[in-house]
Amino acid sequence: MSESSLAELLRSRGLRLTAQRQLILRAVMELGHATPEQVHTAVREVAAGVNITTIYRTLELLERLGLVTHTHLSHGSPTYHAAGEHQHVHLVCRECGAIDEIEPELLRPLADQLAAQRGFQVDIGHVALFGVCGQCEDGEAK
């Protein structure tokens, strides 16, 4: 998202475009998948005075604006990524922590079945499947 588009979106919601908001959104976009702590580390390289509370609040705001989304890839902090990315399902290795992505179409039959049988709509962009990757299964990643 361009700086002018971000400014326009914020203004339409009665908010200002601040340097911190710009830096945080840019960090999420550059990092791909990042926890608030990782975003904080990246932002502090440019603006040392930005605290972790500002990071969390800004990420929440950016998510409400539809610019970022999050998923839980571990028991710790949520992981954020740009909302403009295509939706994907995360595969998280419990052994080495590697994160891979698969197309959501692989889960579409299950999502459709849950919708038909239970009236439950799966938010595929927030799905994370945990297991053991092929390298760890073969003993290569240890």
Side-chain angles (χ1 to χ4, degrees):
M1 167 171 275
S2 72
E3 187 176 312
S4 61
S5 298
L6 177 58
E8 194 174 302
L9 176 62
L10 289 168
R11 270 195 297 275
S12 73
R13 303 282 178 98
L15 302 167
R16 292 182 307 117
L17 175 61
T18 65
Q20 292 174 338
R21 289 174 179 161
Q22 284 178 280
L23 288 170
I24 292 166
L25 181 58
R26 186 178 307 133
V28 170
M29 295 174 97
E30 289 175 359
L31 293 169
H33 290 90
T35 65
E37 292 78 13
Q38 291 167 323
V39 172
H40 185 232
T41 299
V43 168
R44 287 190 61 193
E45 290 178 7
V46 179
V50 178
N51 63 45
I52 191 71
T53 303
T54 300
I55 301 292
Y56 273 97
R57 287 182 182 155
T58 302
L59 288 170
E60 288 172 6
L61 170 66
L62 294 173
E63 187 161 27
R64 283 195 310 272
L65 294 172
L67 299 174
V68 301
T69 188
H70 79 278
T71 192
H72 292 274
L73 301 180
S74 68
H75 294 294
S77 298
T79 300
Y80 288 84
H81 56 88
E85 292 181 2
H86 72 284
Q87 282 200 328
H88 51 271
V89 175
H90 299 93
L91 303 177
V92 183
C93 180
R94 290 189 189 276
E95 295 290 322
C96 69
I99 300 170
D100 199 1
E101 300 173 2
I102 60 171
E103 292 299 317
E105 288 75 28
L106 290 173
L107 291 186
R108 182 59 50 209
L110 174 62
D112 291 345
Q113 186 175 10
L114 288 170
Q117 292 179 0
R118 307 275 179 125
F120 187 82
Q121 300 299 316
V122 176
D123 181 355
I124 291 179
H126 283 89
V127 173
L129 300 174
F130 294 82
V132 178
C133 72
Q135 288 184 337
C136 288
E137 186 69 31
D138 295 338
E140 296 173 21
K142 293 183 181 180

